[in-house]
Amino acid sequence: MRVVLLGPPGGGKGTQGELIEKKYGFPKISTGDLLRREVQEKTTLGEMAKAKMNQGELVNDDIVIEMIKHKIFQLDCKRGYILDGFPRNVGQARRLEEIEEKRPEIVIDIHLSEQALIRRLSARRICSSCGAIYNLLARNPRKEGTCDICGSELIQREDDVPEVIKERLKVYHEQTEALIDYYSRKKVYFRIDGEGKIETISDNIYSILDREIAKSRVMEAAR
Ligand code: AMP
């Protein structure tokens, strides 16, 4: 099953992606995480991406597509995968279809009001080492400032500050939102309310995934 998590920054794609990964065993691929690693390691690619990321703009399509290509052909992606933060525009969605032959089977849009997004993004903290996601309002670590998983320091992302958040939301409306229509036409689009408890949101996502996985099994058996 190939799943795309769509939705604005701060909607909970990363958190829900982690939970889906745990429950279903499909690896989560986050282009944002991959890019942040490149920046942290000061690679050529990271140096090229850094300025755009810090301004809240999108990194060049060719760069992210190369990264995605590299990941989805790895063995652990054979049964499926979860894309978090990719595609971010219609051009990327088309390129994904070229690479993959088939479209993604399920696109889940985690929707949230602009006010809630800003609140969440400002309270978000991530692990400086493993990238695990926390939130000072809803998902605190057991020990303040420390990652529950690997014990490293929690930091605020450079793009989770008010001016950059504003730009990221603008980019979302101008470029990413068009994917709602794009995937609706392909009949693979599902919208989820991102407000409320993490568990309630993930239960809603699991219901969609279970239903769609069962459907695709029936179709496969009939072939
Ligand atoms: P995210 O962690 O998904 O919020 O991504 C953080 C930043 O990485 C974005 O604001 C972009 O600058 C860059 N980025 C992540 N995914 C993509 C993508 N698919 N296309 C272009 N830029 C991306």
Side-chain angles (χ1 to χ4, degrees), residues 122-170:
S122 310
R124 177 162 66 185
R125 298 293 180 271
I126 61 164
C127 173
S128 54
S129 173
C130 73
I133 307 160
Y134 298 87
N135 190 292
L136 302 182
L137 301 172
R139 204 186 194 203
N140 267 300
R142 282 192 292 273
K143 184 173 167 218
E144 199 186 322
T146 307
C147 178
D148 291 346
I149 301 164
C150 71
S152 302
E153 186 197 1
L154 301 186
I155 53 166
Q156 183 169 37
R157 275 171 47 171
E158 284 188 44
D159 58 352
D160 279 345
V161 294
E163 323 79 77
V164 188
I165 291 175
K166 228 168 112 193
E167 181 60 26
R168 288 163 68 203
L169 290 173
K170 186 165 159 253

Side-chain angles (χ1 to χ4, degrees), residues 45 83 121 190 214:
L45 196 152
L83 296 180
L121 285 167
F190 300 87

Side-chain angles (χ1 to χ4, degrees), residues 8-10 13 30-36 49-61 63-65 67-68 84-89 92 121 124 157 159-160 164 168 171 175:
K13 300 189 296 296
S30 153
T31 39
D33 284 350
L34 294 173
L35 286 165
R36 275 185 289 281
K50 191 177 172 183
K52 292 273 185 203
M53 292 174 77
N54 286 347
Q55 285 159 13
E57 288 171 21
L58 293 187
V59 171
N60 180 287
D61 284 354
I63 293 181
V64 282
I65 281 150
M67 286 189 336
I68 283 286
D84 161 14
F86 180 92
R88 279 290 227 280
N89 57 35
Q92 290 183 7
L121 285 167
R124 177 162 66 185
R157 275 171 47 171
D159 58 352
D160 279 345
V164 188
R168 288 163 68 203
V171 167
Q175 301 194 45

